Amino acid sequence: EQHVSTILLDLNMPHITGQELLKQIKAQYPEIPIIVITGVEDVEVAVECMKLGAFDFLVKPIENNRLVTVVRHALRQRSISEELLDSRESYLALSETTTDAILQINEDFKIEFANAAVRSIFGYNREELLHQHFKVLFPEAEFKRCVLTLEAFFLADNANHEPSSLENTMQILGQKKQGEIIPLEISFGKSKSLRRAIITCIIRDITQRKNTERKLRYLAYHDKLTQLGNRDLFNLSLNEYLSEAIRYE
């Protein structure tokens, strides 16, 4: 087999119509741009071919410069499409190597992509989350807090909403499929897909981190032998009580 970068297709052929061959080629090789050539200028045929996936429609006689320009554009589109496909495949492969959940949501807060790690963090298979509302992953009150940040990111293209001025990481409580509440850390990043705004969310379960912080805090304020509160805990508690007393004077 040989690599084909683009196809020049004449509609006037024996045994099969150009439109039928166009349909078959696009069904098997959708990535190949096809330039349709005909000797008859027919608007309806041109429209039909473009709907079937033709890259362009040229009527004979064709000027050399015009043909060269169209072929160059077709090759450029093919090159860009392949680069985008390679980038997407690399992104997908990378997303499956991390233990963090990666989700992409649109402006309606619907989930358009989820990696395999969502199962270990939330208990959902990725297929269960696709096209679901992002709020299924949070208690209602927590999602209301989260949605304010998301809306700010979607508005970041506006002159008064610079992405650099927005907080792109937050800690929040999430909710597993079975209802268990877990502490999470979410990082946000905005991009565009087919001119639509998309937010990528990297979500990390920080349960272990929070447990470690609680243990360290306990050790800092309690005696190792007696497990009783130490002087630091006494001073901290005293300061808190004094602050409360001053507040209600």
Side-chain angles (χ1 to χ4, degrees):
E1 295 183 1
Q2 294 183 342
H3 178 77
V4 177
S5 297
T6 189
I7 294 175
L8 302 179
L9 176 62
D10 196 320
L11 292 183
N12 187 19
M13 295 183 300
H15 310 304
I16 187 173
T17 66
Q19 291 96 319
E20 184 61 31
L21 184 56
L22 171 62
K23 187 186 301 184
Q24 292 181 18
I25 295 174
K26 294 305 291 185
Q28 296 182 52
Y29 308 99
E31 73 281 1
I32 300 178
I34 300 174
I35 301 169
V36 173
I37 298 175
T38 180
V40 180
E41 187 169 358
D42 189 322
V43 175
E44 291 185 2
V45 173
V47 171
E48 180 185 359
C49 290
M50 299 305 286
K51 287 182 177 179
L52 291 174
F55 177 78
D56 209 335
F57 187 92
L58 302 177
V59 179
K60 301 175 186 177
I62 307 169
E63 295 181 0
N64 289 341
N65 289 341
R66 169 64 174 159
L67 180 60
V68 169
T69 299
V70 173
V71 170
R72 282 178 176 171
H73 287 167
L75 293 174
R76 179 57 179 162
Q77 184 198 54
R78 175 72 184 276
S79 176
I80 293 173
S81 297
E82 289 178 345
E83 289 176 6
L84 290 174
L85 180 60
D86 289 343
S87 297
R88 177 168 178 78
E89 289 178 349
S90 297
Y91 174 80
L92 292 176
L94 181 62
S95 72
E96 298 306 327
T97 65
T98 179
T99 56
D100 296 337
I102 299 178
L103 297 99
Q104 290 184 325
I105 59 174
N106 59 27
E107 291 178 292
D108 295 322
F109 302 118
K110 295 296 181 65
I111 299 171
E112 296 194 354
F113 170 82
N115 69 344
V118 294
R119 181 174 179 81
S120 61
I121 293 180
F122 293 104
Y124 291 96
N125 292 323
R126 71 174 84 198
E127 293 78 10
E128 294 180 274
L129 289 180
L130 292 181
H131 312 301
Q132 293 293 321
H133 199 284
F134 195 46
K135 67 182 179 182
V136 301
L137 302 178
F138 307 94
E140 183 177 353
E142 288 292 288
F143 179 73
K144 288 180 179 178
R145 185 166 67 90
C146 177
V147 77
L148 296 176
T149 301
L150 294 174
E151 288 175 344
F153 266 87
F154 279 122
L155 291 172
D157 284 338
N158 295 347
N160 297 327
H161 295 81
E162 293 297 329
S164 59
S165 65
L166 299 175
E167 184 67 37
N168 67 342
T169 301
M170 68 183 301
Q171 292 187 6
I172 192 172
L173 294 178
Q175 185 168 336
K176 290 192 171 187
K177 183 178 180 179
Q178 301 302 324
E180 180 185 353
I181 304 300
I182 54 174
L184 302 172
E185 183 178 80
I186 306 181
S187 298
F188 303 102
K190 184 180 177 183
S191 60
K192 287 188 177 181
S193 175
L194 298 176
R195 299 182 180 179
R196 297 180 303 117
I198 293 291
I199 288 182
T200 298
C201 304
I202 301 176
I203 305 176
R204 177 171 298 174
D205 184 346
I206 56 174
T207 301
Q208 186 174 357
R209 184 200 301 176
K210 290 298 182 182
N211 289 338
T212 300
E213 289 175 356
R214 281 193 291 269
K215 289 179 181 178
L216 291 174
R217 179 179 175 83
Y218 182 87
L219 291 174
Y221 292 114
H222 291 79
D223 184 82
K224 291 182 180 180
L225 294 177
T226 65
Q227 300 300 312
L228 298 175
N230 59 20
R231 182 176 298 176
D232 290 335
L233 180 61
F234 173 77
N235 290 333
L236 179 65
S237 300
L238 180 61
N239 289 333
E240 290 177 350
Y241 288 137
L242 290 175
S243 297
E244 288 293 320
I246 293 173
R247 185 183 305 171
Y248 290 103
E249 280 185 352

